[in-house]
Amino acid sequence: MADEAKAKGNAAFSAGRFEEAARHFTDAIALAPGNHVLYSNRSAALASLHRYSDALADAQKTVELKPDWAKGYSRLGAAHLGLGDAASAVAAYEKGLALDPSNEGLKAGLEDAKKAAAAPPRRGPSGPDAIGQMFQGPELWSKIASDPTTRAYLNEPDFMQMLREVQRNPSSISMYLSDPRMMQVLSLMLNVKIQRPEASEPSQSTPPPPPPQQQQISPLQTKAREVEPEPEPEPMDFTDEEKERKERKAAAQKEKELGNTAYKKKDFEAAIQHYTKALEHDDEDISYLTNRAAVYIEMGKYDECIKDCDKAVERGRELRADFKMISRALTRKGTALVKLAKTSKDFDIAIETYQKALTEHRNPDTLKKLNEAERAKKELEQQEYYDPKLADEEREKGNEFFKEQKYPEAIKHYTEALKRNPKDPRVYSNRAACYTKLGAMPEGLKDAEKCLELDPTFTKGYTRKGAIQFFMKEYDKAMETYQAGLKHDPKNQELLDGVRRCIEQINKANRGEISQDELQERQNKAMQDPEIQNILTDPIMRQVLNDFQENPRAAQEHLKNPGVMQKIQKLVSAGIVQMR
């Protein structure tokens, strides 16, 4: 349940619903109060809401629970920095880097903290900067979406672009105040009604006009006044530099859209040209680089893709771009590195790149690519290590140690043989025998099952598996295993002896000839078996068992059903039911 609440919190955080994320993490903490990751996640959500005091408390709890976890000090540094305590932030980031010197997030945080510590005290923003800062908070989107006069703006791409530009550069707000939509949003954020030119009051220096004489107004005149258009607000004046910048950004967006269209049509050369032109117009939007990198992947130009991704990360750090954009650049770089990988070692840098991307933003697609890269590395390692001749040599060494009853040494050589040739069922069978001698029944059972998976006709695998089940006192399962082996080798004496031993033990249980301790042990083990649990919760079987106690004649009729009889026999073998 804690994991489920955590997953909901992660999903809400990724979607930018920080309040909801904090609630889910709180629910998870209530269920698992000793889990340091939950406090770390809630600290991140609270910091995103600018509740830095609460974020600091959670970060401190994180490092208290897990003092050797570098990520906890990253949360601690971010909370201190949000509270304006740059010196404490520097100390926290340095502690984290002492644990993980290569952590990029900690390095970036330390750099920010040092800059903040070195910067002279300054007064709060004023003028356009102060107004622009109102657009930085997380409540911006919820306020716009909840107000009926502004909700529709979220569906207008040019308006969304304006908002993102103001978020990146608060002082640019003055460029967009001529847009009535921006004025409406500003009115909403300030919680005041900003008067339009047509509603402005006369200045105090001008005497009010004398009250007009009352006169009758015809309905026609009233209607004419109602339909008179309101005067439009006068446009704001822009400097030449601001006009040029706005025009360049508009031109860049146009080129990006043309590039996207060309990409969808698989006209990759044209897409490259458009994204390149977009970069020439505007180098403050790293999406042009990441989009061009995606095209290079499709064209098989992986080195070019990596160069663009590196530029995007570097430029994104300078611009303090959205962490999701940084993560996207790193993910695409990882994809290119995977494409270039020729050996298992080549996957290391790709895996490291995906891990860096996940520290920026835990995207499910990136996580999937990381898992695929790790699997590919493991498979390639096995292929590179594959050598059947050396595997046989290791198996023989294992056999010698087994004869000398040196089972741990035998296991070591059998394990090496499986690394050299993981498809040899004989080695799994031999290692299962070693585990059985050492009393490691679960490990032995796993090897015996793997042996039969590789070769279902390998008789020795059935004797190994049956013997382990017999030692685990799962006599009904052991008998099924021996009988399955006899289908492949009907005269095999080991399998026949195994069936006989199982029948003896099952009959003892039926006659009640086992001790109470042994009966209790078998019952406890049986109650953990999913198959037994299903039988006992089956409504039909519950009625059958009830008839055995209260209506013996009906019970005899039930036993004529082969399926019911088989289930009853399993319950008898497990010690749950006794036949008298």
Side-chain angles (χ1 to χ4, degrees):
M1 291 175 67
D3 287 342
E4 183 179 347
K6 176 187 172 187
K8 290 179 180 177
N10 290 342
F13 187 91
S14 298
R17 302 191 302 274
F18 304 120
E19 284 282 6
E20 180 185 340
R23 287 199 302 273
H24 286 305
F25 292 138
T26 300
D27 293 341
I29 287 170
L31 295 166
N35 189 330
H36 63 283
V37 176
L38 299 176
Y39 288 98
S40 171
N41 288 5
R42 189 171 70 176
S43 178
L46 293 170
S48 299
L49 293 167
H50 302 291
R51 291 164 56 185
Y52 295 112
S53 296
D54 295 332
L56 179 61
D58 274 357
Q60 290 171 334
K61 184 66 175 179
T62 301
V63 297
E64 176 190 329
L65 291 171
K66 188 74 172 172
D68 59 345
W69 192 46
K71 189 66 169 288
Y73 295 96
S74 176
R75 301 296 190 213
L76 192 61
H80 278 308
L81 198 57
L83 290 169
D85 188 355
S88 297
V90 169
Y93 285 125
E94 287 177 342
K95 284 183 181 178
L97 284 169
L99 295 169
D100 185 3
S102 63
N103 190 297
E104 294 296 329
L106 286 167
K107 288 179 182 177
L110 179 60
E111 184 180 348
D112 291 342
K114 285 182 175 179
K115 286 180 181 177
R122 58 179 183 173
R123 309 178 89 182
S126 61
D129 281 347
I131 295 175
Q133 290 291 346
M134 295 180 183
F135 290 80
Q136 300 297 309
E139 70 278 0
L140 170 68
W141 303 106
S142 59
K143 279 192 174 184
I144 294 175
S146 60
D147 193 289
T149 64
T150 59
R151 187 180 302 134
Y153 299 165
L154 296 176
N155 297 322
E156 299 175 12
D158 62 329
F159 178 75
M160 295 297 290
Q161 181 63 28
M162 280 195 294
L163 276 188
R164 292 192 184 99
E165 176 59 26
V166 172
Q167 287 187 319
R168 281 197 296 268
N169 181 13
S171 61
S172 67
I173 182 71
S174 59
M175 296 171 57
Y176 303 111
L177 291 178
S178 62
D179 192 310
R181 297 170 299 178
M182 188 62 78
M183 292 296 290
Q184 184 67 32
V185 171
L186 183 58
S187 172
L188 177 67
M189 298 303 292
L190 291 170
N191 200 25
V192 296
K193 184 175 182 180
I194 299 177
Q195 292 182 334
R196 299 289 183 88
E198 66 274 11
S200 60
E201 297 179 358
S203 64
Q204 294 180 358
S205 59
T206 306
Q213 295 181 356
Q214 290 187 354
Q215 56 182 348
Q216 295 292 327
I217 301 175
S218 69
L220 186 61
Q221 288 176 312
T222 303
K223 186 174 181 181
R225 289 186 181 182
E226 288 176 355
V227 298
E228 285 180 3
E230 296 181 352
E232 292 292 329
E234 295 181 6
M236 295 279 292
D237 290 330
F238 294 106
T239 64
D240 292 340
E241 184 180 348
E242 289 172 334
K243 288 180 180 178
E244 182 185 354
R245 188 166 181 267
K246 190 174 181 180
E247 289 170 359
R248 284 192 288 105
K249 286 190 172 294
Q253 281 296 316
K254 184 177 180 181
E255 290 293 344
K256 178 183 177 181
E257 291 170 5
L258 291 171
N260 293 346
T261 302
Y263 178 81
K264 291 174 183 177
K265 293 179 179 178
K266 297 191 180 298
D267 187 354
F268 300 132
E269 291 291 349
I272 292 289
Q273 291 175 11
H274 288 300
Y275 292 137
T276 302
K277 288 179 180 177
L279 280 167
E280 292 170 358
H281 288 300
D282 179 14
D283 67 345
E284 294 182 352
D285 188 338
I286 65 172
S287 68
Y288 309 140
L289 282 167
T290 56
N291 284 16
R292 191 169 70 178
V295 181
Y296 281 135
I297 289 176
E298 294 292 338
M299 297 173 74
K301 295 183 178 181
Y302 305 121
D303 290 326
E304 295 298 322
C305 169
I306 292 170
K307 289 178 184 177
D308 268 4
C309 291
D310 286 338
K311 287 179 186 175
V313 172
E314 181 182 358
R315 187 64 174 139
R317 301 276 190 220
E318 294 172 0
L319 297 169
R320 297 185 180 276
D322 188 343
F323 56 84
K324 293 180 182 178
M325 294 298 298
I326 303 289
S327 176
R328 182 181 300 172
L330 289 167
T331 299
R332 286 181 180 167
K333 178 182 178 180
T335 301
L337 289 168
V338 166
K339 296 287 187 180
L340 290 171
K342 298 291 189 296
T343 67
S344 59
K345 289 287 184 184
D346 294 339
F347 279 93
D348 290 341
I349 187 171
I351 290 169
E352 182 183 352
T353 303
Y354 283 136
Q355 290 169 340
K356 288 180 180 178
L358 288 169
T359 63
E360 297 290 337
H361 173 54
R362 196 161 183 82
N363 183 285
D365 182 59
T366 304
L367 184 60
K368 179 183 177 183
K369 289 178 182 293
L370 171 62
N371 293 335
E372 289 172 351
E374 289 175 337
R375 282 197 299 271
K377 173 183 168 64
K378 187 176 180 180
E379 290 172 2
L380 199 53
E381 281 178 337
Q382 291 177 345
Q383 292 173 17
E384 292 167 349
Y385 207 66
Y386 180 79
D387 190 327
K389 184 178 178 182
L390 289 177
D392 285 341
E393 292 176 7
E394 291 293 331
R395 180 172 59 83
E396 290 299 331
K397 290 177 184 177
N399 292 345
E400 291 299 321
F401 279 112
F402 185 87
K403 291 174 185 176
E404 296 172 10
Q405 298 183 1
K406 297 179 179 179
Y407 305 120
E409 290 84 352
I411 287 175
K412 179 181 176 182
H413 287 288
Y414 289 142
T415 301
E416 180 63 22
L418 287 172
K419 289 180 181 177
R420 294 290 183 181
N421 183 10
K423 300 296 185 183
D424 190 341
R426 298 172 299 173
V427 184
Y428 281 105
S429 174
N430 292 359
R431 194 169 69 172
C434 287
Y435 282 131
T436 305
K437 294 290 185 181
L438 293 171
M441 300 304 173
E443 291 83 355
L445 182 61
K446 185 177 178 181
D447 271 3
E449 288 174 342
K450 183 65 178 179
C451 166
L452 293 174
E453 177 188 325
L454 293 171
D455 185 359
T457 66
F458 191 64
T459 308
K460 198 70 174 176
Y462 291 100
T463 61
R464 300 285 192 219
K465 182 179 178 181
I468 292 169
Q469 290 169 325
F470 187 89
F471 286 133
M472 294 173 73
K473 299 181 181 180
E474 296 177 348
Y475 303 120
D476 55 328
K477 291 184 178 180
M479 187 160 69
E480 288 177 6
T481 300
Y482 287 133
Q483 289 173 340
L486 287 169
K487 292 178 182 179
H488 301 286
D489 187 359
K491 296 181 180 180
N492 186 288
Q493 195 59 46
E494 282 187 90
L495 294 172
L496 291 169
D497 290 343
V499 171
R500 177 181 53 76
R501 289 196 303 272
C502 290
I503 292 173
E504 288 175 358
Q505 292 298 324
I506 291 171
N507 287 339
K508 273 187 181 182
N510 290 346
R511 294 192 298 268
E513 296 177 359
I514 58 176
S515 68
Q516 281 299 117
D517 290 342
E518 187 177 355
L519 177 62
Q520 185 65 45
E521 181 185 352
R522 289 172 64 179
Q523 289 176 343
N524 290 342
K525 187 177 292 186
M527 292 305 293
Q528 298 174 14
D529 187 335
E531 188 176 3
I532 297 294
Q533 292 172 2
N534 289 336
I535 293 174
L536 292 175
T537 55
D538 184 346
I540 295 176
M541 287 304 300
R542 289 171 68 178
Q543 181 61 46
V544 170
L545 294 174
N546 187 60
D547 286 345
F548 267 103
Q549 293 180 348
E550 300 178 0
N551 190 351
R553 182 174 296 178
Q556 293 301 319
E557 290 297 319
H558 290 311
L559 292 178
K560 294 178 182 179
N561 184 324
V564 171
M565 185 62 187
Q566 184 181 14
K567 291 178 180 178
I568 291 293
Q569 186 59 54
K570 283 187 179 295
L571 295 178
V572 170
S573 301
I576 303 296
V577 171
Q578 289 187 351
M579 303 289 288
R580 294 178 181 175

